[in-house]
Amino acid sequence: MDIRGDGSTGATAPVALSRLAWPPVLAVAAGVAALQAVLLGQYGFHRDELYFLAAGHHLAWGYIDQPPLTPLLARWSTALFGESPAGLRVVAVLLGAVTIVLTALAARELGARRGGQVLAAAGAAVSAMVLALGHMLSTAGFDLFAWTGIGVLVLRLLRTGDRRWWVAIGAAVGVALLNKDLVLLLAAALLPAVWFTGNRRVLHGCWLPVGALLAVLVAAPNLYWQARHGWPQLTVASGISGQDGLADRLTFVPMQLLYLSPVLVPVWLGGLRRLRQEPELRWARPLAYGYLGLCALVLLLGGKPYYALPPLLLVLAAGCQPVVDRMWPAARSRARLVGVLVLAVALNAVITLPVLPARQLPLVAWVYKESAEQVGWPELASAAGAGWALVPAGQRGHAVVFAADYGEAGALARFGGDYGLPAPYSGHMSFADWGPPPDSSTGPVLLIHPAPYPQVERAFTGCREVARIDNGRGLANEEQHAPVLLCDGPVRPWSQLWPQLRHFY
C-alpha cells in the first residue's frame, strides 16, 4: 500500500533491495583505513585526546562535559595498542571505516544499486568529516558512527513499517547517549518529521515506548551520575553557546559544505530534493525534514556546526544512484566523476590529515585549526620542566604544578614524567574533580599558561615568568609563546580556593 502525504495509511509498501556491493564497499573502507593507519603518528596527540587519556585513568560513569564512552575507548585502545597517538587512534580508524560501510547501507535502503552504493561509500570516504574524525579519537567520531547507524535503522523501520525496529533503534540511541547527549537533538528532529511527513503508524503501539525505555536503561548510569552532580553538562553546553553561539550560527552553512566537501554539494542537494519530491521515496521523506529540523535546532541553540553533520551522509546517500545513472554510462562523464572524487580526497586529506610537514601546517591550520592542536605538547612539558628545575629540592615535597586548561594538564600528565614533574592539577572540566591538592601543599606553584584565565593567576602570590613555550615549528596555536610562571604559593588553602579555580569553558 502506498503512503499518502498525510501519513494516515497502514503499512509501508515493501521495496525490493539490491544486494549490498560488499567487495567494492569494503575496498573503499579498507583503503581509507590503510591511509589513516599510515598517518596516525605523524604529528602528536590532540588536546582533547590528552584529556581523554587522563579521563581514561579516572574511569567514572560521567564527567563534567561528557558521558563515559570516549574516555573508556581511550583506555581500551591504549591498553591494547600502546599509549601513543597511533595506539589511541586505532578505534577512530575503525569507527571511520564502519561509518563508510553504513553510508553504503543507507544508500541501499534508499534503493541504490551497486554503483550507487559504491558512490555513497566513496562520497563518505572523501568527505572532510570522515577523514578528520577517522584520524583522531573524539566524541564527534563516535557520534558520526552511531548516528549513521541509527539512520540506517530508522530507514529500515520506515521502509518496512515493522515497528519492532524501535527496539534496535532504542538500544543504539542508548549507546549514543553514553557518548554524547546530542543524539537527543536527532530524536527531537526525526520524531516530528515522521509524524508530519511519514507513516504515522510506525509511531503507534508499544514498540516505540519499549525502544525509548531501552535507551533510558542503557544510558541510566550516566543519567544518574549527571543528576547526582547537578547536570554539569548543561552548564558546559550553555557556556559554549554563550561564548561561541554567534560565530557558530554565522559559520553554520559554510561549515556544512566544507565538512562534507564542496565538490559533493550537488550530490547532497540532489539527495535532499529526491527525498522530498520523488514518489517512490515518499516513505523516506522524514529523513529530509528531520535533517532540516536538526539544523534549525542547532542554529536555535547556538551549537557547533558539526552537531548536524551525521545525517548529512544519509542525505548524500540518497543522491548517489541518480548521479551514477546519469554519469557512469558515458566514458567522459565517468572520468569526470572519478576526477571529482580524487580532487575531493586530495584536498580534504591535505587539510585534515597529517600529510604536510609540521612546519608547513600554517598553510592549512587557518582552515582546520585542529591540525595545529596536535603539535607542541612535549615542548610544553619541557618548558614546564625548565620551570620546575628552579624549585629548590627541599621545597618540592609541597610544591604544585597547576595548568590552566585540560589540554595543558593532559600534556603534563602524559609527558611531565620525562622531566621529573609531579602529577598536574587543573580546575578545568573534570580535572577539577580530580583535585584539589592537599592543603599542606603550600607552594611554590608552577603555573602553566594563565593568560586566558586571569582569575587563575590572581589565586597565587609572587608570580614571575620563568619560561615560555615554543613548539619549535613557528606554529601559532593556543600554547605557542605561552608563559610558565613560578609563584610563591596560593593565596588561601587549596580547599577554600578550589571552587574559584573551577571553570567549564
Side-chain angles (χ1 to χ4, degrees), residues 39 65 100 115 117 125 137 182 191 208 221 227 232 258 277 300 340-341 346 361 404 414 465 480:
L39 298 172
D65 54 336
I100 291 169
Q117 295 170 28
L137 183 66
L182 291 174
L191 289 174
L208 174 55
L258 289 174
Q277 296 179 2
L300 178 66
V340 164
L341 294 174
L361 269 176
R414 174 63 182 82
E465 184 177 319
Q480 179 68 341

PDB file of all heavy atoms in Angstrom, residues 39 65 100 115 117 125 137 182 191 208 221 227 232 258 277 300 340-341 346 361 404 414 465 480:
ATOM      1  N   LEU A  39      49.256   7.302   8.550  1.00  0.00           N
ATOM      2  CA  LEU A  39      49.472   8.679   9.007  1.00  0.00           C
ATOM      3  C   LEU A  39      49.208   8.893  10.493  1.00  0.00           C
ATOM      4  O   LEU A  39      49.357  10.014  10.979  1.00  0.00           O
ATOM      5  CB  LEU A  39      48.563   9.621   8.209  1.00  0.00           C
ATOM      6  CG  LEU A  39      48.799   9.674   6.700  1.00  0.00           C
ATOM      7  CD1 LEU A  39      47.706  10.496   6.023  1.00  0.00           C
ATOM      8  CD2 LEU A  39      50.175  10.250   6.380  1.00  0.00           C
ATOM      9  N   ASP A  65      31.855  17.285  31.307  1.00  0.00           N
ATOM     10  CA  ASP A  65      31.497  17.713  29.958  1.00  0.00           C
ATOM     11  C   ASP A  65      31.108  16.582  29.030  1.00  0.00           C
ATOM     12  O   ASP A  65      30.860  16.828  27.850  1.00  0.00           O
ATOM     13  CB  ASP A  65      32.659  18.499  29.349  1.00  0.00           C
ATOM     14  CG  ASP A  65      33.963  17.709  29.393  1.00  0.00           C
ATOM     15  OD1 ASP A  65      34.098  16.814  30.249  1.00  0.00           O
ATOM     16  OD2 ASP A  65      34.860  17.991  28.586  1.00  0.00           O
ATOM     17  N   ILE A 100      31.762   4.448   6.777  1.00  0.00           N
ATOM     18  CA  ILE A 100      31.720   4.381   5.306  1.00  0.00           C
ATOM     19  C   ILE A 100      30.816   3.251   4.856  1.00  0.00           C
ATOM     20  O   ILE A 100      29.984   3.416   3.945  1.00  0.00           O
ATOM     21  CB  ILE A 100      33.152   4.203   4.761  1.00  0.00           C
ATOM     22  CG1 ILE A 100      33.963   5.481   5.000  1.00  0.00           C
ATOM     23  CG2 ILE A 100      33.130   3.850   3.284  1.00  0.00           C
ATOM     24  CD1 ILE A 100      35.441   5.312   4.739  1.00  0.00           C
ATOM     25  N   GLY A 115      26.348   0.511  -8.179  1.00  0.00           N
ATOM     26  CA  GLY A 115      27.071   1.749  -8.437  1.00  0.00           C
ATOM     27  C   GLY A 115      26.736   2.839  -7.443  1.00  0.00           C
ATOM     28  O   GLY A 115      27.618   3.573  -6.977  1.00  0.00           O
ATOM     29  N   GLN A 117      25.672   2.444  -4.353  1.00  0.00           N
ATOM     30  CA  GLN A 117      26.243   2.096  -3.058  1.00  0.00           C
ATOM     31  C   GLN A 117      27.734   2.424  -3.008  1.00  0.00           C
ATOM     32  O   GLN A 117      28.232   2.961  -2.011  1.00  0.00           O
ATOM     33  CB  GLN A 117      26.026   0.609  -2.791  1.00  0.00           C
ATOM     34  CG  GLN A 117      24.576   0.199  -2.653  1.00  0.00           C
ATOM     35  CD  GLN A 117      24.419  -1.305  -2.629  1.00  0.00           C
ATOM     36  OE1 GLN A 117      25.323  -2.045  -2.219  1.00  0.00           O
ATOM     37  NE2 GLN A 117      23.278  -1.794  -3.085  1.00  0.00           N
ATOM     38  N   ALA A 125      33.909   8.492   2.131  1.00  0.00           N
ATOM     39  CA  ALA A 125      35.351   8.306   2.317  1.00  0.00           C
ATOM     40  C   ALA A 125      36.149   9.566   2.013  1.00  0.00           C
ATOM     41  O   ALA A 125      37.167   9.835   2.657  1.00  0.00           O
ATOM     42  CB  ALA A 125      35.840   7.155   1.447  1.00  0.00           C
ATOM     43  N   LEU A 137      40.799  10.397  17.937  1.00  0.00           N
ATOM     44  CA  LEU A 137      39.744   9.921  18.822  1.00  0.00           C
ATOM     45  C   LEU A 137      38.977  11.119  19.368  1.00  0.00           C
ATOM     46  O   LEU A 137      39.575  12.037  19.937  1.00  0.00           O
ATOM     47  CB  LEU A 137      40.330   9.113  19.976  1.00  0.00           C
ATOM     48  CG  LEU A 137      39.293   8.498  20.918  1.00  0.00           C
ATOM     49  CD1 LEU A 137      38.472   7.441  20.197  1.00  0.00           C
ATOM     50  CD2 LEU A 137      39.962   7.910  22.155  1.00  0.00           C
ATOM     51  N   LEU A 182      23.903  14.729  22.566  1.00  0.00           N
ATOM     52  CA  LEU A 182      23.416  15.390  21.355  1.00  0.00           C
ATOM     53  C   LEU A 182      22.447  14.534  20.556  1.00  0.00           C
ATOM     54  O   LEU A 182      21.667  15.058  19.763  1.00  0.00           O
ATOM     55  CB  LEU A 182      24.596  15.782  20.466  1.00  0.00           C
ATOM     56  CG  LEU A 182      25.495  16.899  20.982  1.00  0.00           C
ATOM     57  CD1 LEU A 182      26.700  17.065  20.064  1.00  0.00           C
ATOM     58  CD2 LEU A 182      24.721  18.206  21.072  1.00  0.00           C
ATOM     59  N   LEU A 191      11.407  12.522  15.123  1.00  0.00           N
ATOM     60  CA  LEU A 191      10.068  12.059  15.506  1.00  0.00           C
ATOM     61  C   LEU A 191       8.970  12.973  14.974  1.00  0.00           C
ATOM     62  O   LEU A 191       7.984  12.478  14.393  1.00  0.00           O
ATOM     63  CB  LEU A 191       9.988  11.916  17.029  1.00  0.00           C
ATOM     64  CG  LEU A 191      10.790  10.743  17.611  1.00  0.00           C
ATOM     65  CD1 LEU A 191      10.762  10.777  19.125  1.00  0.00           C
ATOM     66  CD2 LEU A 191      10.246   9.409  17.094  1.00  0.00           C
ATOM     67  N   LEU A 208       7.568   1.663  20.179  1.00  0.00           N
ATOM     68  CA  LEU A 208       8.281   2.928  20.387  1.00  0.00           C
ATOM     69  C   LEU A 208       8.550   3.176  21.869  1.00  0.00           C
ATOM     70  O   LEU A 208       9.696   3.483  22.246  1.00  0.00           O
ATOM     71  CB  LEU A 208       7.504   4.088  19.765  1.00  0.00           C
ATOM     72  CG  LEU A 208       8.046   5.500  20.027  1.00  0.00           C
ATOM     73  CD1 LEU A 208       9.502   5.627  19.594  1.00  0.00           C
ATOM     74  CD2 LEU A 208       7.186   6.547  19.321  1.00  0.00           C
ATOM     75  N   PRO A 221      23.162   4.695  33.848  1.00  0.00           N
ATOM     76  CA  PRO A 221      24.283   5.012  34.756  1.00  0.00           C
ATOM     77  C   PRO A 221      24.803   6.441  34.593  1.00  0.00           C
ATOM     78  O   PRO A 221      25.075   7.118  35.589  1.00  0.00           O
ATOM     79  CB  PRO A 221      25.347   3.978  34.355  1.00  0.00           C
ATOM     80  CG  PRO A 221      24.569   2.832  33.800  1.00  0.00           C
ATOM     81  CD  PRO A 221      23.421   3.469  33.076  1.00  0.00           C
ATOM     82  N   ALA A 227      22.644  13.497  37.247  1.00  0.00           N
ATOM     83  CA  ALA A 227      21.656  14.000  38.207  1.00  0.00           C
ATOM     84  C   ALA A 227      22.300  14.227  39.574  1.00  0.00           C
ATOM     85  O   ALA A 227      22.033  15.237  40.244  1.00  0.00           O
ATOM     86  CB  ALA A 227      20.492  13.021  38.318  1.00  0.00           C
ATOM     87  N   PRO A 232      25.966  18.894  35.153  1.00  0.00           N
ATOM     88  CA  PRO A 232      27.001  19.842  34.722  1.00  0.00           C
ATOM     89  C   PRO A 232      27.131  19.967  33.212  1.00  0.00           C
ATOM     90  O   PRO A 232      27.600  20.999  32.721  1.00  0.00           O
ATOM     91  CB  PRO A 232      28.280  19.269  35.335  1.00  0.00           C
ATOM     92  CG  PRO A 232      27.989  17.815  35.539  1.00  0.00           C
ATOM     93  CD  PRO A 232      26.539  17.750  35.878  1.00  0.00           C
ATOM     94  N   LEU A 258      31.820  22.667   3.834  1.00  0.00           N
ATOM     95  CA  LEU A 258      33.239  22.327   3.916  1.00  0.00           C
ATOM     96  C   LEU A 258      33.455  20.973   4.561  1.00  0.00           C
ATOM     97  O   LEU A 258      34.322  20.198   4.133  1.00  0.00           O
ATOM     98  CB  LEU A 258      33.990  23.404   4.695  1.00  0.00           C
ATOM     99  CG  LEU A 258      34.155  24.751   3.989  1.00  0.00           C
ATOM    100  CD1 LEU A 258      34.783  25.769   4.923  1.00  0.00           C
ATOM    101  CD2 LEU A 258      35.011  24.590   2.736  1.00  0.00           C
ATOM    102  N   GLN A 277      10.781  14.928  -3.031  1.00  0.00           N
ATOM    103  CA  GLN A 277       9.909  15.030  -4.191  1.00  0.00           C
ATOM    104  C   GLN A 277       9.565  13.710  -4.869  1.00  0.00           C
ATOM    105  O   GLN A 277       8.484  13.600  -5.449  1.00  0.00           O
ATOM    106  CB  GLN A 277      10.556  15.970  -5.227  1.00  0.00           C
ATOM    107  CG  GLN A 277      10.719  17.399  -4.739  1.00  0.00           C
ATOM    108  CD  GLN A 277      11.382  18.301  -5.763  1.00  0.00           C
ATOM    109  OE1 GLN A 277      11.700  17.879  -6.877  1.00  0.00           O
ATOM    110  NE2 GLN A 277      11.616  19.557  -5.393  1.00  0.00           N
ATOM    111  N   LEU A 300      19.237  27.324  16.543  1.00  0.00           N
ATOM    112  CA  LEU A 300      18.497  27.954  17.632  1.00  0.00           C
ATOM    113  C   LEU A 300      19.272  27.907  18.936  1.00  0.00           C
ATOM    114  O   LEU A 300      19.314  28.882  19.696  1.00  0.00           O
ATOM    115  CB  LEU A 300      17.134  27.262  17.801  1.00  0.00           C
ATOM    116  CG  LEU A 300      16.240  27.765  18.943  1.00  0.00           C
ATOM    117  CD1 LEU A 300      15.807  29.198  18.676  1.00  0.00           C
ATOM    118  CD2 LEU A 300      15.035  26.853  19.114  1.00  0.00           C
ATOM    119  N   VAL A 340      36.460  14.140  -9.852  1.00  0.00           N
ATOM    120  CA  VAL A 340      35.903  14.946  -8.765  1.00  0.00           C
ATOM    121  C   VAL A 340      36.191  14.282  -7.418  1.00  0.00           C
ATOM    122  O   VAL A 340      36.578  14.943  -6.445  1.00  0.00           O
ATOM    123  CB  VAL A 340      34.393  15.137  -8.972  1.00  0.00           C
ATOM    124  CG1 VAL A 340      33.724  15.613  -7.687  1.00  0.00           C
ATOM    125  CG2 VAL A 340      34.128  16.137 -10.086  1.00  0.00           C
ATOM    126  N   LEU A 341      36.024  12.973  -7.336  1.00  0.00           N
ATOM    127  CA  LEU A 341      36.287  12.251  -6.091  1.00  0.00           C
ATOM    128  C   LEU A 341      37.767  12.307  -5.725  1.00  0.00           C
ATOM    129  O   LEU A 341      38.124  12.483  -4.554  1.00  0.00           O
ATOM    130  CB  LEU A 341      35.811  10.807  -6.205  1.00  0.00           C
ATOM    131  CG  LEU A 341      34.300  10.602  -6.335  1.00  0.00           C
ATOM    132  CD1 LEU A 341      33.985   9.141  -6.594  1.00  0.00           C
ATOM    133  CD2 LEU A 341      33.578  11.077  -5.078  1.00  0.00           C
ATOM    134  N   ALA A 346      42.043  14.417  -2.259  1.00  0.00           N
ATOM    135  CA  ALA A 346      43.355  15.063  -2.199  1.00  0.00           C
ATOM    136  C   ALA A 346      43.277  16.349  -1.386  1.00  0.00           C
ATOM    137  O   ALA A 346      44.109  16.597  -0.494  1.00  0.00           O
ATOM    138  CB  ALA A 346      43.868  15.344  -3.610  1.00  0.00           C
ATOM    139  N   LEU A 361      52.250  23.504   8.531  1.00  0.00           N
ATOM    140  CA  LEU A 361      50.864  23.485   8.994  1.00  0.00           C
ATOM    141  C   LEU A 361      50.163  24.832   8.922  1.00  0.00           C
ATOM    142  O   LEU A 361      48.944  24.865   8.742  1.00  0.00           O
ATOM    143  CB  LEU A 361      50.806  22.955  10.426  1.00  0.00           C
ATOM    144  CG  LEU A 361      50.625  21.443  10.562  1.00  0.00           C
ATOM    145  CD1 LEU A 361      50.671  21.027  12.019  1.00  0.00           C
ATOM    146  CD2 LEU A 361      49.318  21.011   9.936  1.00  0.00           C
ATOM    147  N   ALA A 404      46.280  25.677  33.371  1.00  0.00           N
ATOM    148  CA  ALA A 404      45.074  26.476  33.220  1.00  0.00           C
ATOM    149  C   ALA A 404      43.948  25.724  32.520  1.00  0.00           C
ATOM    150  O   ALA A 404      42.781  25.974  32.791  1.00  0.00           O
ATOM    151  CB  ALA A 404      45.385  27.770  32.459  1.00  0.00           C
ATOM    152  N   ARG A 414      50.833  13.320  30.621  1.00  0.00           N
ATOM    153  CA  ARG A 414      51.401  12.332  29.696  1.00  0.00           C
ATOM    154  C   ARG A 414      52.918  12.463  29.570  1.00  0.00           C
ATOM    155  O   ARG A 414      53.640  11.455  29.538  1.00  0.00           O
ATOM    156  CB  ARG A 414      50.748  12.511  28.307  1.00  0.00           C
ATOM    157  CG  ARG A 414      51.351  11.646  27.199  1.00  0.00           C
ATOM    158  CD  ARG A 414      51.171  10.171  27.495  1.00  0.00           C
ATOM    159  NE  ARG A 414      51.777   9.353  26.457  1.00  0.00           N
ATOM    160  CZ  ARG A 414      53.073   9.028  26.362  1.00  0.00           C
ATOM    161  NH1 ARG A 414      53.921   9.502  27.281  1.00  0.00           N
ATOM    162  NH2 ARG A 414      53.528   8.280  25.394  1.00  0.00           N
ATOM    163  N   GLU A 465      57.567  35.112  35.607  1.00  0.00           N
ATOM    164  CA  GLU A 465      57.768  34.246  34.449  1.00  0.00           C
ATOM    165  C   GLU A 465      59.143  33.602  34.490  1.00  0.00           C
ATOM    166  O   GLU A 465      60.156  34.277  34.681  1.00  0.00           O
ATOM    167  CB  GLU A 465      57.602  35.049  33.158  1.00  0.00           C
ATOM    168  CG  GLU A 465      57.713  34.195  31.897  1.00  0.00           C
ATOM    169  CD  GLU A 465      57.474  34.997  30.630  1.00  0.00           C
ATOM    170  OE1 GLU A 465      56.555  35.848  30.643  1.00  0.00           O
ATOM    171  OE2 GLU A 465      58.225  34.773  29.662  1.00  0.00           O
ATOM    172  N   GLN A 480      51.541  28.378  21.870  1.00  0.00           N
ATOM    173  CA  GLN A 480      52.795  28.947  21.382  1.00  0.00           C
ATOM    174  C   GLN A 480      53.119  30.265  22.084  1.00  0.00           C
ATOM    175  O   GLN A 480      52.285  31.178  22.138  1.00  0.00           O
ATOM    176  CB  GLN A 480      52.719  29.155  19.866  1.00  0.00           C
ATOM    177  CG  GLN A 480      53.959  29.761  19.246  1.00  0.00           C
ATOM    178  CD  GLN A 480      55.168  28.831  19.294  1.00  0.00           C
ATOM    179  OE1 GLN A 480      55.215  27.883  20.063  1.00  0.00           O
ATOM    180  NE2 GLN A 480      56.155  29.110  18.466  1.00  0.00           N
TER     181      GLN A 480
END
